[in-house]
Amino acid sequence: MWKFSGQIEYECLNCGHVEIVDMDFFECDCVGSQERQMGPENIYELSYRIDCNNCGSEININFTAYEYPVQSLNYVEPEVTGASTSDKPYLEHLPDLYEVQQFELARASAKEIILEVQNNPALIRNIDSRQFEEVVAELFRDKGYEVELTKRTRDGGKDIIAISKDHFGIRLKYFIECKYYGESNKVGVDVVRSLHGVKNTKDGPNKTIVATTSSFTADAVSFVEKEASSSWDISLADYDQIMEWIGSYGLTN
């Protein structure tokens, strides 16, 4: 078993403030794979967004990492805005015990993950971003929604389409975007504004929801409170809300 590890030291381009972030706080997605002579080449996107702790400027640190051959980091391509850094992640091989625990969790169904997290909330930090999407989809399914988990894309957007029916049989459509972030990596206003923008498009939803294992920046909260046309248009579900949903999973209404 392995994971991306290391610490990234970055300097804000606006004020020169220097911070260090651990790779554990980066969102990691496998965005592609292709067969080559020595097996598959897997492509990962690692992303971290934060507002500078000194001046508040937005900083985005992204890496595209190429694993080839398997368990070998062949190439890492950085893309950083708002800051500068010369650091890159590396692959760390983990102890056998951790490998067994993660092996089982990696193959668990969304329902099994939810039940485990009910007993041990810390496990929510040991799944991956796709499993988080599956967990959120299952939480809505448990409440009676028709749920569709969308295909993975590199350009973001809705991850889940959820359909409910009111007492008159009228269908209501929800678009849900999931952000599996570390505790200190808050979801910014750009994510919220982008999802909200699809509401009035053709085949758009009645409501949009951003769900995260982290929290939201002040600008993101302000956008919902002041710029969205109504509180019905968009909702923000942070870590506490997700854990509340998980806690009520399986309970009869």
Side-chain angles (χ1 to χ4, degrees), residues 102-170:
Q102 290 295 86
F103 181 87
E104 294 175 352
L105 190 60
R107 285 155 178 74
S109 68
K111 182 180 295 186
E112 290 170 334
I113 292 172
I114 291 170
L115 295 177
E116 288 297 323
V117 172
Q118 285 180 338
N119 295 321
N120 183 5
L123 287 178
I124 196 70
R125 301 296 182 190
N126 292 342
I127 62 176
D128 61 33
S129 57
R130 187 58 170 181
Q131 286 178 308
F132 178 58
E133 294 168 10
E134 293 168 351
V135 163
V136 174
E138 176 61 24
L139 292 171
F140 274 78
R141 187 178 292 111
D142 180 61
K143 298 303 181 184
Y145 289 77
E146 299 174 19
V147 175
E148 176 188 347
L149 194 62
T150 63
K151 293 182 179 180
R152 309 199 73 174
T153 61
R154 300 184 65 168
D155 56 356
K158 63 183 181 297
D159 300 306
I160 301 166
I161 300 172
I163 305 292
S164 68
K165 290 183 180 180
D166 65 15
H167 296 297
F168 297 100
I170 298 174

Side-chain angles (χ1 to χ4, degrees), residues 8-19:
I8 306 300
E9 180 178 298
Y10 60 91
E11 179 179 348
C12 176
L13 294 180
N14 185 56
C15 69
H17 184 67
V18 176
E19 289 281 351

